[in-house]
Amino acid sequence: MAIQGNSIRRFMVTAVVALGCASNAVAEMESMSDQDLSGVSGQYGGMSLSGDVTFNESGGPLKGEAVGFDCGEGERCGARIAAQLNQGGGWIVLDDLQGTFEFMGLTLATRLITGDDTGFGGDAGDFNREVIEIGLPETARFTDFSYTMATSSTARPGDSDFRQVDRLTVEMGGDMTLDGNALIFPTEP
Amino acid sequence: MTDRTLKTSMSLMMLLLAGVPSAWASGMEPMSNREMADVRGQGVGIVMEDFRFAHGHDPANNQTFRLSGITNQAGEDVEVLVDQLYIGGAGSQRGESLQTVNLGRLTNPFGIDLVDGDGIGGDAAGKAVFEYAAPEKVAQAEGVACLPGGADTGCVSRAPNADQNIRGERMDLGFETTVHSGTAVAKSVNIHAEKAVVDGSFIQLWGATSDDSRQQLRGRIQTNFYTPSLTVSACEQGGTNCNTEIAFNDFMMELALGNEHQPLFMGVLGVGQEVKTDGKTVAGPGNFRLELKAINNARSPTPINDAGDGSSDDNATYDFYSDYYTNDEYRSDIEVGSLEVGGQDMGSTRMKGMLFQKLDVTTRSLD
């Protein structure tokens, strides 16, 4: 896999973790007896994430013009990710990836699913296990986000005998509707 | 140097799918027998709870969703504005009132797994196989009807039921677009599916052994799709002339692309590679190629005898082909309970028992 010219310019994540008292606890740390330890049970907690990810807001790969993208003054040229599926063959390319994805209120938590959980019918009671819960963000917004799917004879535009066939360019912008939780758990063997 | 092509929605879909295996392709290596023994049937289950997604092109609300890079046969640019793309729960009235849905069940979720290829056999034997699968279908007596009132009761995704506290696992999904093709009048093309179920679908991918002459990612894809209502409509912009709606009622598709004997190969033509037909080069480097291993190449040394009755074949060869031609798992079905065009009922349509013995598709540039 060749990755060329992708620069994640800014990756800012603010995490609000419910561990505000941690620093106080350090000073008075003591070992626990077996009896005390036996009383400790798992806690279900989590955190909330907000932030944005920006790809190639300014700048881009060398020789991006060879692919037909306008990387001139003021124009942004995006990242390129190429993957080869067969030895000696061509490349599947995600090209000219650029733009910003912002999210507010993405949550990450552990959760115990019991028969009290609604919406699952009888499954919740049968399941009765812990899961990792990713709460999809309250706000999810694309700003000038776009990418091109293509197939190419070589990994990089600068390589000899480079020839690329663009398949589809997708542009997205604005707030999108995205609700729900992703529940992730190991399946039984 | 950039070529642009008109491509079928099929190749588009394959490209989307191809995005997934790319990460594994480059670093894939055969595992030793010892490593294989460590592969356990435990994977990761994923359930989307209370889920809905929608996005569309709406400049008034600062929303953009545009597909471009396509050209029509005359070489003109085609721009597709996606007015709405949605996935939600049953009863969403074509996305007008988007409901939430559970995708997958806690007891039978969507799953990502590394499975032992010995269980698949054929080309996958002795290899580790990556699998991404929808909820599995179950025995007819244990499941629910895939289509409401239908005979196939092996599905697990349920309809919403407030009394039983079931949110429902059947999705409404749709795709509404405005297509600007060259200088032609813009057209709306809309596709909606209601209460859709994808149970039993999966993608399995595996690699080549080091002594394999073909070092390429391969796999098999099972695509199941059941919906009581699939509609496709094309209108002139403004929606005044929309009477050309085609409705596929009680639509059922079980498409098997590839199997353990005939893996599906996805690749791109590299430098110096080309596809020739009657001595003429029809596709060159940079084009996408999808191949299904021909069944007569799947078993060596020779295929079944001319009589086809096994009389002069060894038993193993006869059994191989006997299983190949009688095993339902290798076959694809598409059924439409009733087809309506502009409100006129055209009756039912069935394509049953399709068996892909060979497939070799390559895209080519129009210019």
Side-chain angles (χ1 to χ4, degrees):
Chain A
M1 176 181 283
I3 299 176
Q4 180 179 335
N6 62 331
S7 61
I8 301 174
R9 249 181 61 78
R10 201 157 40 112
F11 182 74
M12 186 193 75
V13 171
T14 57
V16 184
V17 188
L19 290 170
C21 311
S23 55
N24 296 340
V26 173
E28 295 172 22
M29 204 173 249
E30 280 177 32
S31 59
M32 288 174 86
S33 69
D34 281 355
Q35 197 175 353
D36 289 344
L37 267 172
S38 69
V40 175
S41 63
Q43 301 278 313
Y44 297 100
M47 59 185 175
S48 169
L49 302 170
S50 299
D52 63 64
V53 184
T54 301
F55 294 94
N56 289 61
E57 191 176 32
S58 58
L62 296 170
K63 297 183 178 172
E65 291 87 348
V67 201
F69 302 129
D70 186 356
C71 308
E73 188 96 6
E75 293 286 339
R76 299 172 303 146
C77 223
R80 176 180 168 93
I81 299 169
Q84 193 180 36
L85 302 183
N86 48 330
Q87 196 174 52
W91 300 71
I92 292 216
V93 182
L94 185 64
D95 210 346
D96 202 18
L97 175 66
Q98 54 181 257
T100 300
F101 177 65
E102 288 172 72
F103 54 94
M104 248 160 64
L106 181 85
T107 61
L108 189 60
T110 49
R111 171 174 154 195
L112 177 66
I113 304 260
T114 65
D116 296 335
D117 282 87
T118 58
F120 300 107
D123 290 358
D126 294 343
F127 186 73
N128 202 33
R129 282 162 58 194
E130 294 91 353
V131 298
I132 294 171
E133 179 198 87
I134 299 174
L136 298 177
E138 287 164 28
T139 307
R141 181 185 303 134
F142 286 115
T143 308
D144 295 333
F145 185 84
S146 69
Y147 60 91
T148 296
M149 287 188 290
T151 51
S152 178
S153 60
T154 63
R156 297 172 186 80
D159 297 342
S160 61
D161 292 324
F162 169 74
R163 193 167 173 83
Q164 178 151 313
V165 185
D166 284 349
R167 301 290 168 191
L168 185 71
T169 300
V170 179
E171 294 167 60
M172 293 177 93
D175 289 0
M176 59 181 184
T177 305
L178 186 62
D179 296 329
N181 299 314
L183 309 179
I184 299 169
F185 50 91
T187 50
E188 300 284 0
Chain B
M1 271 305 274
T2 300
D3 291 328
R4 289 175 186 266
T5 60
L6 179 72
K7 79 255 138 290
T8 62
S9 58
M10 186 66 192
S11 72
L12 237 178
M13 194 173 77
M14 295 318 297
L15 268 174
L16 280 170
L17 294 171
V20 180
S22 57
W24 288 271
S26 53
M28 207 172 242
E29 280 180 30
M31 292 173 83
S32 68
N33 283 336
R34 193 178 180 152
E35 287 170 310
M36 283 298 299
D38 291 335
V39 174
R40 264 179 285 165
Q42 191 173 45
V44 174
I46 301 169
V47 170
M48 298 302 294
E49 178 196 18
D50 209 11
F51 175 79
R52 67 181 157 191
F53 166 82
H55 192 58
H57 190 81
D58 185 3
N61 282 319
N62 287 324
Q63 289 174 316
T64 51
F65 196 169
R66 184 186 294 121
L67 310 178
S68 56
I70 310 163
T71 52
N72 62 19
Q73 266 183 315
E76 299 165 317
D77 285 336
V78 177
E79 185 187 59
V80 179
L81 299 178
V82 181
D83 299 314
Q84 199 185 17
L85 171 68
Y86 67 86
I87 299 174
S92 70
Q93 295 168 2
R94 299 190 170 185
E96 294 291 314
S97 127
L98 200 57
Q99 307 295 309
T100 60
V101 66
N102 284 1
L103 298 180
R105 288 174 61 168
L106 290 169
T107 49
N108 194 341
F110 281 80
I112 296 173
D113 211 340
L114 195 63
V115 298
D116 189 339
D118 288 346
I120 299 168
D123 190 66
K127 298 169 183 171
V129 175
F130 169 81
E131 179 185 78
Y132 178 64
E136 284 174 50
K137 286 183 79 173
V138 295
Q140 295 287 318
E142 294 165 19
V144 295
C146 297
L147 290 168
D152 184 354
T153 53
C155 285
V156 294
S157 293
R158 302 164 296 185
N161 186 327
D163 293 338
Q164 293 174 29
N165 193 13
I166 296 170
R167 182 174 291 115
E169 291 97 24
R170 299 187 174 220
M171 43 183 169
D172 280 9
L173 63 165
F175 187 58
E176 297 176 3
T177 61
T178 304
V179 181
H180 297 267
S181 178
T183 51
V185 177
K187 286 225 163 68
S188 312
V189 178
N190 308 318
I191 303 171
H192 300 278
E194 292 175 11
K195 300 170 192 157
V197 171
V198 295
D199 295 354
S201 303
F202 61 79
I203 299 173
Q204 289 174 337
L205 302 168
W206 61 89
T209 52
S210 53
D211 58 349
D212 196 319
S213 61
R214 185 166 194 168
Q215 294 294 313
Q216 185 168 3
L217 183 79
R218 69 275 313 266
R220 59 175 185 170
I221 300 172
Q222 175 75 38
T223 310
N224 293 356
F225 193 78
Y226 310 89
T227 171
S229 169
L230 175 70
T231 57
V232 179
S233 61
C235 326
E236 287 188 2
Q237 201 174 24
T240 49
N241 184 15
C242 257
N243 56 5
T244 49
E245 182 168 283
I246 303 170
F248 301 88
N249 298 317
D250 291 334
F251 178 87
M252 182 277 268
M253 176 173 78
E254 292 170 354
L255 195 63
L257 272 181
N259 56 56
E260 64 269 33
H261 306 302
Q262 298 175 273
L264 185 71
F265 295 97
M266 284 170 280
V268 179
L269 297 176
V271 175
Q273 297 178 337
E274 55 191 18
V275 172
K276 288 191 170 184
T277 303
D278 296 334
K280 277 179 63 180
T281 302
V282 290
N287 278 296
F288 183 74
R289 189 174 191 185
L290 182 73
E291 290 168 89
L292 200 62
K293 190 171 189 172
I295 187 62
N296 56 342
N297 294 330
R299 189 171 174 83
S300 58
T302 49
I304 202 163
N305 71 11
D306 290 342
D309 58 4
S311 55
S312 66
D313 294 306
D314 63 279
N315 287 341
T317 301
Y318 181 82
D319 290 347
F320 173 84
Y321 281 101
S322 177
D323 175 63
Y324 176 71
Y325 282 107
T326 52
N327 194 335
D328 263 354
E329 280 185 19
Y330 303 151
R331 295 182 182 257
S332 300
D333 300 325
I334 298 175
E335 289 183 43
V336 182
S338 75
L339 177 67
E340 278 177 49
V341 180
Q344 287 278 45
D345 192 342
M346 314 290 276
S348 64
T349 309
R350 286 197 180 89
M351 283 186 276
K352 293 203 65 144
M354 281 184 292
L355 188 60
F356 293 98
Q357 292 172 310
K358 182 178 191 293
L359 180 76
D360 188 350
V361 183
T362 312
T363 61
R364 64 178 271 240
S365 307
L366 287 173
D367 46 13

